[in-house]
Amino acid sequence: MNTATNQASAWLFPGRRAGQPFRPDHLSALLNEIGVPVAAARGAAIRQQLLEMPAPIVADALGYHDKTTTRLLNETGGTWSRYAAGDHTRSPAGWVPRRTGDS
């Protein structure tokens, strides 16, 4: 069963049980069998994400500790050194929006 023969499947890698994806360990074993170094690929993927996004965002999205992603970012040579963490949905105290001219 795969997505080519089962177009209704929502999974990129559907498992043997209906409606379930491959188990990560099973998929890892299959990738290792064909010569894909899973650990190296995972490390390369997170380092690429760190070059494109701030380390705290990557840490939160992937469940890593922020110190781990910061260390990986420094090893990779990324430039996200001035990311302001925190709640960016609230306005600072005393801030008033500027009028756009249409009163």
Side-chain angles (χ1 to χ4, degrees), residues 4-22:
T5 59
N6 184 7
Q7 305 256 338
S9 176
W11 300 105
L12 178 59
F13 301 108
R16 291 183 181 213
R17 296 179 59 199
Q20 296 294 314
F22 264 61

Side-chain angles (χ1 to χ4, degrees), residues 91 94-103:
S91 298
W95 182 80
V96 179
R98 193 180 325 171
R99 296 220 124 338
T100 59
D102 48 324
S103 20

